[in-house]
Amino acid sequence: MDFGVSDEMLGTFVPIVVYWVYSGIYVVLGLFAESYRLHSQQEEDEKNLVSKGAVVKGVLLQQLVQAVVATLLFALTGSDSQNTTSQNTSLLVLARQFVTAMLVMDAWQYFMHRYMHHNKFLYKHIHSLHHRLIVPYSFGALYNHPVEGLLNDTVGGALSFLLSGMSPRASIFFFSFATIKTVDDHCGLLLPGNLFHIFFKNNSAYHDVHHQLYGNKYNFSQPFFIMWDKILGTYMPYTLEERAGGGFETKPCKVYKDD
């Protein structure tokens, strides 16, 4: 059914809607799933260095920039409407494009993320904004400095789209999937049966380690795989232990505690 909305428009704005819908779902789940939280609600309220109102404003600004860049990108690359049908009939082509886009996004974000930690100027003035969320939560997933949002997320997404060769219609599903995965990585919950935790070692617990002081220079990989951390020696193994007040907490393996 054609509603008169282009694939390019849907590819731009559907992931934004998905972000807030899934963030809201995780917020509600967190209210009733204290026994599955990585941090208590009290820790979330007391440890974070930025208000939730400021986080919402920051995310909306980043999404505005992403929407502008996506609109320009689709305008420059042109419409693939003539090829959309043929591409959608080939599951093999779609699978190849998705995997390629995932690998491109992972590589770009790993090296950009790691550089922003090791460059003192960039960390102090740009990336440290995201780390004001010591206790991550779902709708803070895209809370970044606008420059980081542009360089890391927006450019990384554009490269994934261009190098994978996917159509605007395929991009609707890919970027929606990547958005849900990113929100899940920051949700602060270890829910039973979570498919992301079954299929990906890069999950909410893995990323929670990175947000803690002891893991600040480890576990840079996002949002899909952990191979770059493994290959380049920035992987920090951790254990999950039950928290006294309910829920879980991540703790580094002993060999890493003094790093």
Side-chain angles (χ1 to χ4, degrees), residues 88-159:
N88 280 349
T89 58
S90 174
L91 292 178
L92 184 61
V93 169
L94 285 174
R96 174 181 57 77
Q97 291 173 342
F98 264 62
V99 171
T100 300
M102 292 166 74
L103 293 174
V104 170
M105 182 174 286
D106 262 23
W108 179 264
Q109 292 206 7
Y110 174 85
F111 288 103
M112 286 298 300
H113 187 192
R114 183 175 179 178
Y115 184 65
M116 286 191 176
H117 272 268
H118 287 276
N119 183 297
K120 293 182 179 179
F121 177 86
L122 290 178
Y123 185 83
K124 179 180 179 180
H125 296 284
I126 295 178
H127 188 57
S128 63
L129 194 72
H130 182 69
H131 280 273
R132 291 179 183 178
L133 293 176
I134 298 168
V135 178
Y137 50 79
S138 58
F139 62 89
L142 292 182
Y143 176 65
N144 299 305
H145 189 284
V147 172
E148 178 178 359
L150 178 63
L151 292 177
N152 199 17
D153 298 319
T154 307
V155 173
L159 288 173

Side-chain angles (χ1 to χ4, degrees), residues 13-257:
F13 291 102
V14 167
I16 294 175
V17 174
V18 165
Y19 180 89
W20 292 107
V21 169
Y22 274 85
S23 293
I25 290 173
Y26 281 117
V27 168
V28 173
L29 288 174
L31 296 175
F32 301 98
E34 187 68 28
S35 59
Y36 297 107
R37 293 177 67 103
L38 292 169
H39 299 270
S40 67
Q41 184 64 55
Q42 183 178 356
E43 287 179 313
E44 181 180 310
D45 295 335
E46 293 179 354
K47 287 187 176 181
N48 287 333
L49 306 176
V50 60
S51 70
K52 290 181 178 178
V55 168
V56 170
K57 292 178 182 177
V59 172
L60 289 173
L61 175 60
Q62 175 165 331
Q63 290 177 327
L64 174 62
V65 173
Q66 287 179 332
V68 171
V69 173
T71 301
L72 293 173
L73 179 65
F74 285 134
L76 290 172
T77 56
S79 173
D80 282 338
S81 58
Q82 293 180 343
N83 298 323
T84 296
T85 302
S86 61
Q87 287 195 5
N88 280 349
T89 58
S90 174
L91 292 178
L92 184 61
V93 169
L94 285 174
R96 174 181 57 77
Q97 291 173 342
F98 264 62
V99 171
T100 300
M102 292 166 74
L103 293 174
V104 170
M105 182 174 286
D106 262 23
W108 179 264
Q109 292 206 7
Y110 174 85
F111 288 103
M112 286 298 300
H113 187 192
R114 183 175 179 178
Y115 184 65
M116 286 191 176
H117 272 268
H118 287 276
N119 183 297
K120 293 182 179 179
F121 177 86
L122 290 178
Y123 185 83
K124 179 180 179 180
H125 296 284
I126 295 178
H127 188 57
S128 63
L129 194 72
H130 182 69
H131 280 273
R132 291 179 183 178
L133 293 176
I134 298 168
V135 178
Y137 50 79
S138 58
F139 62 89
L142 292 182
Y143 176 65
N144 299 305
H145 189 284
V147 172
E148 178 178 359
L150 178 63
L151 292 177
N152 199 17
D153 298 319
T154 307
V155 173
L159 288 173
S160 299
F161 172 75
L162 293 171
L163 295 179
S164 67
M166 66 175 55
S167 67
R169 180 164 296 178
S171 77
I172 301 170
F173 299 97
F174 174 73
F175 288 120
S176 294
F177 173 66
T179 296
I180 296 171
K181 178 67 172 62
T182 301
V183 169
D184 185 83
D185 289 347
H186 289 81
C187 72
L189 299 172
L190 279 177
L191 296 172
N194 187 330
L195 293 179
F196 285 126
H197 291 196
I198 294 172
F199 291 104
F200 295 96
K201 291 184 178 180
N202 195 337
N203 52 44
S204 57
Y206 187 87
H207 195 65
D208 182 75
V209 170
H210 176 72
H211 272 259
Q212 307 313 306
L213 182 61
Y214 61 77
N216 191 258
K217 292 186 178 180
Y218 295 91
N219 294 11
F220 296 112
S221 293
Q222 57 185 42
F224 299 112
F225 309 112
I226 64 172
M227 61 182 182
W228 289 113
D229 280 319
K230 289 269 195 175
I231 293 170
L232 297 176
T234 54
Y235 170 69
M236 176 179 279
Y238 61 91
T239 59
L240 280 171
E241 300 182 9
E242 291 188 4
R243 197 171 58 244
F248 302 93
E249 61 180 323
T250 56
K251 289 191 174 182
C253 293
K254 291 182 180 179
V255 68
Y256 283 86
K257 283 188 176 179

